[in-house]
Each structure stands twice: as structure tokens, then as C-alpha cells.
Amino acid sequence: MLTTQKDRKDTWNREDDEILAETVLRHIKENSTQLEAFKEVGKQLKRTAGACGFRWNSYVRKQYGSEIQKAKQKRREEKKRESKNKLQSSNKQGKETLQEIHQNVETSQESPEPQKNKQEQPIENITQFIKDIYEKESRFTELNENLSLYKSLNSELKAKNFELSSENEKLKSELDSITRDYIRLSELIVQAKTFVIQR
């Protein structure tokens, strides 16, 4: 018996798609990863993270283009605010450190030349360097998680492909059987006609 779309247990309905979309959008806004969103939805809908990721990328994402852009914008604004706060904090610490160096230099009565060199170290360059490292680490983490997701999706697609190949072979076998039955039935009809004509 052929399996219809309605009979399939893994069919996605509108409510599932909405849960998936809401969760992914929330994770985007909160600067989390889509992989975490897929894991959360997977637990809720009793599906794998890979299946959720495949559904999101193949169908649901296209329905939520403007919402995704808004969520990403919100995330960018939040990141900018966090970076600004970190930068201000680093600058404050840097200035305090410079003041301490200056006081230490004065108390130890070092010559003016080394004092000048220490004070000329640009704090902005150091804070920018730290900021760049933080952003690269964040991007690396995101890429690593995406790689894990794609590996998971690849495994699931391979399994699905194997399942569909098996189903295809079964259908081919059924078709061959039906074709043989049809040929045999045609032969019987011809024989019956011949028998009737001879009588």
C-alpha cells in the first residue's frame, strides 16, 4: 500500500512551523545560534535538530524574511550596545592603569623619558584588538555550530535518501508484479475470446 502525505508521521503542520519560527526568531534576537533553536524545537516537537534545521532552511525561513531582518537588526543593536559598554569599561580600566603607572613612575623617581614612553601606549589600539578577538571568537563559535548542524543534516539526509531508495526499489518491484499480472490477464482474455469464438 502506498504511503500518502497525510499518513506520514513526520509531516509538518502549520502549528509546528509557527513554533519553529517563533523559537528561531527569539534565538536570533537573543544572540543565540539557530542550532540551539533547532535543538529546543526538536525537544518540544519530538524531532531531531537536523529535521528542524532542514524544515527551517527549506520552507519556513522563506515565510519570515522581514521578521528575520528585524530580529537581526535587534541583535546588531544589542551587540553594538554591549561592545560600547565593554569599550568604555576597557578605556576606564586603561586610564586607571595609566594613572597607576604614572604614580609609580613619580614615586620611584624614574627619569622622564621612560615615563613618556609608557604614557604614549594607545589604549584605543589595545581595546580595539580585544574587541576584534571577541568578535572573531564569536564568529568562530557560530561557524562551528553551523558546521555541526550541517553534519547532522547531512547524516539525516543520507538516512532519508537510503529510506527513499529502499521505498523506490519496493515500488519498482510492485510495478513489475502488476505489469506481469496485467500481461497474464491480457493473455487470459485473448484465450477466453478464442475459446468463445471456437464454440
Side-chain angles (χ1 to χ4, degrees):
M1 183 178 171
L2 293 177
T3 306
T4 64
Q5 192 67 13
K6 287 183 180 178
D7 295 330
R8 293 178 67 89
K9 292 179 182 176
D10 60 348
T11 302
W12 287 78
N13 59 42
R14 188 174 177 176
E15 187 182 334
D16 294 343
D17 287 342
E18 286 174 359
I19 290 169
L20 176 59
E22 287 170 11
T23 308
V24 171
L25 290 171
R26 177 168 47 80
H27 277 261
I28 291 172
K29 286 176 194 170
E30 294 173 355
N31 198 24
S32 180
T33 63
Q34 290 183 9
L35 180 59
E36 288 304 315
F38 299 150
K39 286 178 183 176
E40 183 180 325
V41 175
K43 286 178 186 174
Q44 192 173 346
L45 300 180
K46 293 182 174 56
R47 297 176 185 272
T48 63
C52 296
F54 184 76
R55 179 65 176 178
W56 171 257
N57 289 314
S58 64
Y59 177 75
V60 180
R61 184 179 58 179
K62 297 167 191 170
Q63 319 297 318
Y64 289 86
S66 61
E67 289 89 344
I68 292 169
Q69 290 307 316
K70 287 176 186 173
K72 286 183 177 179
Q73 180 63 32
K74 191 167 184 177
R75 181 178 67 186
R76 279 193 291 270
E77 288 168 2
E78 188 60 35
K79 271 189 171 181
K80 199 183 253 185
R81 194 167 27 256
E82 284 177 12
S83 294
K84 190 177 178 182
N85 289 342
K86 284 182 181 178
L87 190 60
Q88 287 173 345
S89 175
S90 297
N91 280 338
K92 187 179 177 184
Q93 288 175 356
K95 285 175 185 174
E96 287 172 358
T97 305
L98 268 179
Q99 287 172 352
E100 287 173 12
I101 291 170
H102 183 65
Q103 288 170 356
N104 288 341
V105 168
E106 283 182 347
T107 53
S108 62
Q109 298 178 346
E110 288 183 2
S111 64
E113 193 59 38
Q115 180 181 340
K116 185 179 176 185
N117 288 339
K118 286 181 182 179
Q119 285 182 338
E120 283 179 353
Q121 285 184 338
I123 296 299
E124 288 76 17
N125 289 348
I126 295 168
T127 53
Q128 184 59 46
F129 177 73
I130 293 168
K131 184 180 171 187
D132 289 344
I133 289 174
Y134 173 75
E135 286 176 357
K136 284 176 184 175
E137 189 271 337
S138 176
R139 181 73 181 137
F140 174 77
T141 303
E142 188 177 340
L143 288 171
N144 205 25
E145 287 175 344
N146 284 340
L147 179 63
S148 299
L149 170 65
Y150 290 134
K151 282 181 179 177
S152 173
L153 277 173
N154 188 39
S155 299
E156 286 190 27
L157 288 172
K158 280 182 180 176
K160 195 76 173 171
N161 186 43
F162 179 76
E163 181 187 326
L164 291 173
S165 295
S166 300
E167 193 174 336
N168 188 38
E169 289 301 317
K170 185 180 174 185
L171 290 172
K172 277 183 182 177
S173 176
E174 287 177 9
L175 179 61
D176 289 344
S177 176
I178 290 168
T179 303
R180 283 194 301 272
D181 290 346
Y182 174 76
I183 291 168
R184 181 67 186 136
L185 182 61
S186 297
E187 289 172 352
L188 288 173
I189 289 170
V190 170
Q191 286 175 4
K193 280 182 181 178
T194 305
F195 181 73
V196 169
I197 291 169
Q198 287 175 354
R199 292 190 78 197

